[in-house]
Amino acid sequence: MSDKAPIVVAANVTKQFGQLKALNDVSLSIMPGTVQCIIGPSGSGKSTLLRCINQLEKIDRGAIEVAGELIGYRRVGDELHELSDAEIARQRLTTGMVFQRFNLFNHMTALQNIIEGPVTVLKRPRRESIAEAEALLARVGLADKRDSYPIELSGGQQQRIAIARALAMKPKLMLFDEPTSALDPELVGEVLSVMRDLAATGMTMIVVTHELGFAREVAGDVVFMDRGEIVERGAPAQVLVAPREARTRDFIAAVLT
């Protein structure tokens, strides 16, 4: 895949849950090395879009390509055939995802959580995986917590371990689904700091967030979603400071109140 080609292309994506149209004809392309922030009210489809990109949800219509590959399906002539679970699992390795809740294995130490994927899924040598995990722990500022269990860590520390765990799989794309929303306010900054550093290294990131200051500082592009649709998209200075759409203005005013 060329650096001049988008790493993610969502084309006319629709996803329904019963009568609820969570995504309605959503199209979006994201270039490698950029940070795409997605904002919007609860229920606007932001998290559903991330889950579709990571194949945690199947789309009903449209198509998504990640790193030049159609996800979830294989084209055979004019027909689409669903991929097997094993093929989907292989495709999912392209992306790392960090959730609102940290989803760490409570019976494993921080180090064990980080090496589980590389050793078990990627079949990489344990010694090599431990060395890389220790480097990742240092990168997220938690080198001294390698042998700590999740219950011994603050929420901010657990989320930083979750970021390190995702990075250990060497993804091309990182997805963040409201990564600070479950944290106490005083812990938000430490997680955003790690994400800023990650963005500075050129990691491609899609971040669903209510942290408008972070979006203004780090995002190359901001999307505002509402009712399953992209209402507005543009540079942070435009969308966050001088939004064109009334729905965007109302949302930002509510968040900043």
Side-chain angles (χ1 to χ4, degrees):
M1 185 191 69
S2 166
D3 285 346
K4 295 183 179 179
I7 190 170
V8 177
V9 178
N12 309 112
V13 172
T14 296
K15 174 64 182 178
Q16 290 195 208
F17 298 101
Q19 297 301 309
L20 174 66
K21 192 167 280 189
L23 295 173
N24 183 21
D25 200 32
V26 169
S27 295
L28 185 67
S29 63
I30 296 160
M31 297 301 292
T34 61
V35 178
Q36 174 74 67
C37 283
I38 304 178
I39 63 172
S42 297
S44 61
K46 312 181 302 296
S47 295
T48 300
L49 179 58
L50 287 196
R51 292 176 65 83
C52 289
I53 292 171
N54 203 34
Q55 301 195 70
L56 297 173
E57 301 284 356
K58 286 186 177 180
I59 64 176
D60 296 313
R61 285 198 301 277
I64 300 175
E65 292 186 2
V66 176
E69 187 174 3
L70 179 68
I71 65 169
Y73 298 90
R74 180 187 298 105
R75 284 193 180 93
V76 180
D78 293 331
E79 296 183 348
L80 291 178
H81 297 265
E82 285 193 14
L83 297 182
S84 67
D85 289 345
E87 290 171 311
I88 288 173
R90 175 191 60 78
Q91 286 188 333
R92 195 178 283 139
L93 294 175
T94 303
T95 62
M97 189 157 179
V98 179
F99 300 86
Q100 295 179 34
R101 297 289 172 180
F102 326 119
N103 294 343
L104 297 177
F105 298 115
N106 289 324
H107 64 290
M108 293 183 178
T109 65
L111 183 77
Q112 290 168 337
N113 265 281
I114 295 169
I115 69 171
E116 177 68 15
V119 171
T120 304
V121 178
L122 301 181
K123 309 299 183 186
R124 299 183 59 202
R126 186 177 181 85
R127 181 177 296 179
E128 178 182 305
S129 297
I130 288 173
E132 291 185 358
E134 289 174 335
L136 285 169
L137 282 166
R139 184 174 177 181
V140 299
L142 294 172
D144 60 334
K145 301 295 184 182
R146 74 187 296 280
D147 298 319
S148 298
Y149 288 89
I151 197 172
E152 300 171 316
L153 302 172
S154 71
Q157 290 171 334
Q158 290 187 59
Q159 193 63 296
R160 285 187 278 160
I161 297 297
I163 293 172
R165 181 178 62 179
L167 291 173
M169 300 296 284
K170 302 186 183 303
K172 296 179 180 178
L173 168 70
M174 284 286 287
L175 309 175
F176 293 87
D177 186 10
E178 302 266 18
T180 61
S181 65
L183 300 178
D184 293 333
E186 66 270 20
L187 302 178
V188 169
E190 64 190 55
V191 174
L192 294 181
S193 177
V194 169
M195 293 172 64
R196 284 188 193 94
D197 290 345
L198 190 57
T201 68
M203 172 62 75
T204 310
M205 299 162 60
I206 307 177
V207 185
V208 169
T209 185
H210 279 93
E211 300 290 339
L212 300 188
F214 172 82
R216 190 162 50 244
E217 178 186 348
V218 176
D221 197 64
V222 176
V223 160
F224 171 69
M225 292 185 67
D226 193 17
R227 302 171 194 168
E229 298 178 344
I230 292 177
V231 176
E232 188 163 358
R233 181 182 186 184
Q238 184 259 301
V239 176
L240 300 176
V241 179
R244 300 188 181 100
E245 301 295 330
R247 283 154 73 186
T248 315
R249 289 195 294 271
D250 291 346
F251 171 77
I252 290 173
V255 170
L256 295 178
T257 300

